[in-house]
Amino acid sequence: QVQLVESGGGLVQAGGSLRLSCVISGSNFSIHTMGWYRQPPGKKRELVADITRDSTTNYADSVKGRFTISGDNAKNTVDLQMNSLKPEDTGVYFCNADGLLYDDSWLDAFGQGTQVTVSS
């Protein structure tokens, strides 16, 4: 069974910083990509940033230059450093990982989410 557990959310003023962390556990799971999604209030879930096993990164245009994703393949962890936060960054942030299970089936899994609130 694969589990993703996020930490680090909270309330911060505009212009401030937060760091989100996620630990991915589970045997026989070969991770291909780790990432972060968010769901703003009343909106659909959207990709924030992701990182592949070879460290190729991808960012949503809205966070480029402000957020930095990093991953540790040995520890199966992925962090998101968020700087210069804006009220529009408010939402529930979900850790995500995809890859192959032991039976060669593809898994795309999410954590339970952590709330990030940016006040103006």
Side-chain angles (χ1 to χ4, degrees):
Q1 185 177 1
V2 176
Q3 290 186 321
L4 294 80
V5 179
E6 303 103 334
S7 60
L11 173 64
V12 65
Q13 288 189 332
S17 298
L18 281 175
R19 187 176 183 88
L20 305 183
S21 296
C22 176
V23 178
I24 303 160
S25 61
S27 58
N28 298 315
F29 180 41
S30 178
I31 297 172
H32 179 267
T33 303
M34 299 184 289
W36 290 91
Y37 285 69
R38 69 185 178 191
Q39 187 164 12
K43 297 184 179 181
K44 295 190 297 185
R45 190 178 298 185
E46 61 186 16
L47 175 68
V48 176
D50 60 25
I51 183 168
T52 63
R53 195 161 187 85
D54 65 357
S55 300
T56 300
T57 58
N58 175 48
Y59 293 92
D61 288 343
S62 59
V63 307
K64 284 180 181 177
R66 300 188 297 123
F67 291 12
T68 302
I69 190 169
S70 58
D72 187 324
N73 293 329
K75 296 180 180 179
N76 284 351
T77 59
V78 58
D79 293 346
L80 185 69
Q81 177 66 41
M82 304 185 293
N83 299 328
S84 303
L85 282 161
K86 304 176 181 179
E88 51 264 43
D89 294 318
T90 294
V92 180
Y93 282 68
F94 298 88
C95 179
N96 170 259
D98 64 30
L100 286 174
L101 293 172
Y102 70 98
D103 61 357
D104 286 340
S105 62
W106 189 259
L107 177 67
D108 190 359
F110 288 88
Q112 81 286 353
T114 184
Q115 178 69 44
V116 171
T117 302
V118 184
S119 63
S120 58

